């Protein structure tokens, strides 16, 4: 069966209602039922609880508390790199942005303008720049960390659909990451600006950032925009937590053509489909010859 045929049922499912229901269930304590569900989930997806700061499954009061569990402090050492990987997961795609076109999968691309919620001036900063799309599966650690030091400039909540973001759906749904609900976080750094986008998905009850808390719900059906200047300025260090998913999803990052005054070079060991971990080297400015 082709990927396009496989995703057809997703167009018919009441994705918003299913997601709201899943979020409500996952956020409430259900006693022994919660513990049994977590135990099943750990076994089904092979979650490595030895890395968790709290490995005791029975101690998690809600499924969300388990799903957003912190890791032990030494579980993810940070590489000595200009840009580190911000999540555990797998590489969906990465590379150069062709003018304003971001490669999604064979036969599919979407624009930087669509991804950031229609702001063409913001998207122009990433013309012919670079992108990385990283998929977080159910078994992965679901907190997102900073790839480098950064100062938050802006956050945009973009309403949208809630398709799954797994690899087969990425191959079957055109413009997937610019169609789904998302939280666009715009940062400045010493090397240049960058954008980190948290993309929602079916059953992802909400997305949260460390400076705002839960961004969604509410879901008012319109774009929401926050600007952080002056006393509201938020500064985070490389490796600091910046947000989290309540159930799995995808992160898309945008970088300009020049990073620290030189072209950006991704880790030569990276390849689509490869497993990745928070803290490993992601990219650096290419040394001039």
């Amino acid at each position: 069966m082709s990927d396009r045929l496989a995703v057809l049922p997703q167009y018919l499912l009441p994705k918003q209602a299913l997601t709201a229901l899943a979020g409500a269930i996952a956020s409430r304590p259900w006693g022994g039922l919660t513990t049994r569900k977590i135990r099943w989930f750990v076994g089904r997806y092979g979650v490595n609880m030895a890395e968790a700061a709290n490995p005791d499954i029975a101690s998690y009061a809600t499924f969300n508390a388990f799903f957003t569990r912190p890791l032990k402090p030494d579980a993810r050492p940070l590489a000595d790199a200009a840009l580190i990987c911000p999540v555990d997961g797998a590489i969906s795609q990465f590379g150069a942005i062709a003018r304003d076109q971001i490669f999604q999968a064979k036969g599919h691309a979407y624009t930087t303008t669509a991804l950031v919620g229609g702001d063409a001036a913001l998207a122009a900063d990433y013309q012919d720049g670079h992108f990385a799309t990283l998929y977080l599966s159910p078994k992965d650690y679901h907190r997102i960390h900073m790839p480098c030091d950064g100062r938050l400039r802006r956050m945009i909540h973009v309403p949208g659909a809630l398709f799954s973001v797994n690899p087969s759906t990425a191959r079957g749904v055109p413009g997937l990451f610019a169609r789904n609900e998302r939280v666009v976080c715009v940062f400045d750094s010493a090397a240049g600006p960058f954008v980190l986008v948290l993309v929602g998905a079916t059953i992802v009850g909400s997305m949260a950032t460390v400076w705002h808390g839960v961004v969604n719900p509410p879901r008012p059906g319109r774009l929401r925009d926050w600007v952080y200047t002056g006393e509201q300025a938020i500064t985070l260090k490389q490796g600091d937590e910046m947000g989290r998913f309540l159930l799995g999803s995808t992160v898309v990052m945008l970088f300009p053509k020049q990073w620290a005054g030189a072209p950006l070079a991704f880790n030569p060991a990276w390849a689509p489909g490869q497993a990745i971990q928070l803290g490993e080297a992601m990219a650096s400015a290419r040394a001039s010859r």
Side-chain angles (χ1 to χ4, degrees), residues 214-231:
V214 173
V215 178
N216 61 321
R219 290 182 168 96
R222 56 176 174 80
L223 188 145
R224 294 183 291 159
D225 198 341
W226 295 265
V227 176
Y228 299 89
T229 58
E231 294 182 356

Side-chain angles (χ1 to χ4, degrees), residues 7-171:
V7 301
L8 281 177
Q10 292 193 47
Y11 286 90
L12 304 175
L13 286 172
K15 296 181 287 295
Q16 295 277 359
L18 286 173
T19 298
L21 177 62
I25 292 172
S27 63
R28 294 178 184 171
W30 299 94
L33 184 61
T34 295
T35 300
R36 288 193 294 274
K37 176 64 175 176
I38 294 172
R39 202 177 301 281
W40 173 87
F41 190 94
V42 168
R44 171 66 177 80
Y45 292 104
V47 177
N48 184 2
M49 291 302 292
E51 296 181 327
N54 176 12
D56 181 9
I57 289 173
S59 69
Y60 291 98
T62 69
F63 190 82
N64 276 346
F66 154 73
F67 205 81
T68 59
R69 63 198 176 277
L71 298 178
K72 292 177 179 176
D74 59 350
R76 296 291 183 272
L78 304 185
D80 182 13
L83 292 166
I84 61 168
C85 181
V87 295
D88 282 6
I91 300 167
S92 176
Q93 298 291 340
F94 70 101
I97 299 169
R99 292 182 294 182
D100 66 344
Q101 298 289 311
I102 302 172
F103 181 71
Q104 176 177 302
K106 185 178 180 180
H108 297 310
Y110 57 97
T111 68
T112 51
T113 300
L115 178 68
V116 300
D119 189 330
L122 171 59
D125 289 341
Y126 306 96
Q127 185 90 351
D128 292 315
H130 306 270
F131 79 97
T133 304
L134 310 177
Y135 169 65
L136 287 71
S137 73
K139 72 178 178 61
D140 291 317
Y141 169 65
H142 275 77
R143 299 190 183 198
I144 306 112
H145 293 250
M146 292 291 287
C148 62
D149 294 355
R151 182 177 61 82
L152 180 68
R153 188 200 317 168
R154 188 177 173 196
M155 182 175 74
I156 310 162
H157 174 229
V158 185
L162 288 169
F163 287 97
S164 170
V165 291
N166 62 32
S168 63
T169 307
R171 294 189 297 267

Side-chain angles (χ1 to χ4, degrees), residues 86 143-147 152 155 183-185 187 196-198 208-212 236 239-244 251:
R143 299 190 183 198
I144 306 112
H145 293 250
M146 292 291 287
L152 180 68
M155 182 175 74
V183 176
V184 180
C185 303
F187 291 93
L196 200 159
V197 184
L198 284 61
T209 64
V210 296
W211 58 84
H212 183 93
L236 297 170
D240 284 352
E241 181 187 345
M242 60 77 58
R244 63 185 69 175
V251 167

